[in-house]
Amino acid sequence: MNTSELLTHFRTHGTPLTLSRRGELTWDDADLHREAWEADPEGYALLALVPGVREWQRARVLLRVLASSQAHLAEPARAVLATATRALLFGLAPSTAITALLAVRRLRANHKHTTRAMVAFALEHPDGDALVAARRPALVDCLEHALGKATARACARLIAEGDTGSPYLRSRLLRFTRDPETAMRRVRALYGPGVHGAPAPQEPPVALDPPRENPQVVTVTNRGDIAATLVHLYRGGSESELRPALARYVAEATRGLPRLAAHVALVLDTSASMRGYGEREWALISQAEALRLVLAEVCERLTVIETGGPAAAPAGATDLATGLLDALAAGPDLVAIVTDGYENTLPGDLARVVASLPGAGVTTPVVLCQAAFARSDDLTFRTPARNLPRASFWHQDDFAELLPWLFGHCAAGRDWIRRTVLDRLSGRVTALEGGRA
Amino acid sequence: MTELATLMPAPVDLAGYRLGPPQQAGALTMVPVYGPEHEGFVPPRTGLKLNRVVSYGTVELQNGAAEGVVIVPLHIGYIQHAAQNHALCSAALIAAGQTRQFETACCVQQTQGGLLQGRDQWFFVLPLELRREALELRDVRDFAKLWSAIARLNAAYGLPGRGHLEQILTRKRPILNQFRNRLEPLPGQVGALFFIGEAFAGMEIAPSSRYFADLWMPLVCFAYGVAAWQAEPEPAPALPYRAGNLAELRAELERDRAARMERVASWLAEPAVGGEWSVAEEERYLDLRLSTVTGDGIAGQVVTRDGRPVYASLFSTRWER
């Protein structure tokens, strides 16, 4: 399974992992996860941290990583996995993470990295005090699985007796923790009398996905700074004021993003419907143009094929099929069709051309990025080719999900995703060191 | 693409009008019409204003522009919250600064109280299924004259059989509105031919591309969009072309498109009209003549200047429900 297929699965398959009362694990896509892990352990783990991946998929990845041996991996790979594991442990809702950890226990998997992860979760969780009070039996199970029941209980007894650093305690417990003092306090609580009815923390202490704006009422100018500035430009606003701001917003949106070592062709629908009308006028074309500006910064080479009028004055009909053929003629590594999905010259042509590509010897990946006004847009009549991978976007914040999904379809995307996630993780782990991000 | 006059045997001289490449959205095919830009006409959204509804069935319209004639589009209607919606059964000519009362308007909402005010205006054009009856009753003073036809239409579309057109126009507006984007007006376009399935539905010609742009939404969403919504087909399967490389694929696409355009042209070649035409002048303003046109299977109104059309709204009369 390639990166795009795996990421699509991660983004769309949200069935929970379940453990029955007798501890039996239900994991419907276990084979897929095992194969993905075996093919590329690092890439597999890092893909789970791409924005937009479903929480239960992240839990599955955590389970697979913790349940699998890392003995065959080199030290740099193990370090990446340790970083990803820690992000997942504290980036999942606590109840989800506990399910994954109890599933590890059920699978009787115990490796060094498993022990570290379980101890870290039980004793270093940023919401650990509340978690210990609310989920004491589950956390005791995790700790005893990690350390061994007798060892865990011996450590608890020593701590209860006032031991703060005996060789036994250090070698069996404290060496797995970064904060011995907190760890000992939590072990005391875990083996203490407990608190009846304590509420469990629901939210992950650190969000894995970047924060996003969710305006109650969507307007053409609250869908991200780049699009908002473009809207003002299209309305005839001051070039001297708006152009520098636009450049600044694009630079901010792409700062720190690695370059994609690929040639991307963008078929940009600039037909009349992309302009829109009334209160939504300029909404779609501004966000599509924002994506173009971001891609121009990130992609090593970007070829743009406009179908319709110029972006600043969208007009005319939508001929996506010819646009796609023009794009393919440029010999790109990836074609992205950015459209609102209204194809009228002639409807069905894009789907037929896409269906014809294998026979024509074309293997270039083609995807459809659907511009929408808001998340709730009705896309019933806006699916020009059901045989194309499709992702929609309406806000600049969506680019954090859209770019990995888009780039994952070409060979260079795997490395881009890896570098991007690692860059983000380095910031996130730093935040975790200090407690709550 | 194609001269309209050779394809559309209308009782008016359509020489000089040309057809562009067709667009399709579901069952609705729109063939753009290009032609002369006539000066001296005010687009309806700019110049035409609903002043008030004087009483049920009597509507007062005003041409608020300083100069230029407004051609009131055939079967124009107004919707307003908490007021009884009205439509006109005939087109009209209103000179700059003029205010006119139309006593033969019809209510399209059976039980709603209240009269339309001049604010919050957007207009529609009566759905194709009602247009023949509306045109036939254009001289009848009875604000309830379309209620039974509206009730039949609603019932045919699975809605409560009442004389409430807003059951379709406003409650189904999210679906109908999409035709505004599913089809796209082209720069310089002054009119369009509409087909539903493979059957001729209507021909609309405006005095200018600006005027036609104002008519675009009411025509595609309401006049023809309602019937198209009911005839929405399942998406066709994406059958691949037989092409061994990109160049062959492009050629196949172009060949297929040409074949489909010829097919659309063949719908025109099978005359939507036949037999005798009757043309009856309704009103005139200077050298403008507004006439009602009736043929076999087609009806509507045209505005001509020196025998040449500047406005036409001709529709198939075979779409009743």
Side-chain angles (χ1 to χ4, degrees), chain A residues 271-273 277 316-319 321-322 325-326 328 342 344-347 349 351-352 355-357 359-360 378 381 386, chain B residues 22-24 177-178 180-187 232 235 238-241 243-246 249-250 253 256-257 260:
Chain A
S271 65
S273 61
Y277 55 89
T318 308
D319 181 1
T322 304
L325 291 174
D326 291 346
L328 288 168
Y342 292 117
N344 43 43
T345 312
L346 290 161
D349 280 6
R352 288 198 70 182
S356 310
L357 292 179
D378 178 4
F381 297 118
R386 292 180 194 280
Chain B
Q23 296 178 27
Q24 289 182 327
N177 250 0
Q178 292 204 38
R180 183 175 186 165
N181 287 325
R182 293 175 74 185
L183 297 172
E184 294 170 300
L186 300 170
E232 184 77 35
L239 301 175
Y241 293 112
N245 55 48
L246 268 184
L249 180 52
R250 190 184 290 270
L253 175 67
D256 184 41
R257 282 183 170 175
R260 278 179 286 163

Side-chain angles (χ1 to χ4, degrees), chain B residues 185-227:
Chain B
L186 300 170
Q189 183 177 351
V190 299
L193 296 170
F194 292 97
F195 298 85
I196 296 167
E198 298 188 359
F200 172 78
M203 180 186 78
E204 306 285 340
I205 291 178
S208 67
S209 51
R210 269 197 68 202
Y211 188 112
F212 186 73
D214 280 4
L215 274 182
W216 176 256
M217 187 277 280
L219 290 176
V220 297
C221 298
F222 303 120
Y224 301 104
V226 174

Side-chain angles (χ1 to χ4, degrees), chain A residues 345-384:
Chain A
T345 312
L346 290 161
D349 280 6
L350 177 65
R352 288 198 70 182
V353 166
V354 169
S356 310
L357 292 179
V362 177
T363 55
T364 310
V366 181
V367 302
L368 194 136
C369 303
Q370 188 146 34
F373 175 71
R375 191 180 283 116
S376 59
D377 276 20
D378 178 4
L379 302 180
T380 307
F381 297 118
R382 295 169 60 179
T383 310

Side-chain angles (χ1 to χ4, degrees), chain A residues 147-225:
Chain A
L147 301 179
K149 186 185 285 187
T151 305
R153 292 182 179 184
C155 289
R157 192 173 58 250
L158 288 173
I159 290 169
E161 290 168 1
D163 186 347
T164 57
S166 66
Y168 182 87
L169 195 62
R170 276 206 306 273
S171 66
R172 301 302 170 95
L173 174 66
L174 299 183
R175 74 185 177 102
F176 294 115
T177 75
R178 298 180 179 188
D179 181 356
E181 217 164 285
T182 302
M184 287 189 288
R185 189 179 79 244
R186 288 187 179 160
V187 169
R188 267 195 297 276
L190 277 176
Y191 288 90
V195 182
H196 178 70
Q202 301 296 316
E203 296 299 318
V206 177
L208 286 177
D209 293 343
R212 59 169 303 139
E213 192 180 19
N214 278 307
Q216 279 198 321
V217 178
V218 178
T219 70
V220 287
T221 53
N222 65 4
R223 302 156 71 250
D225 286 333

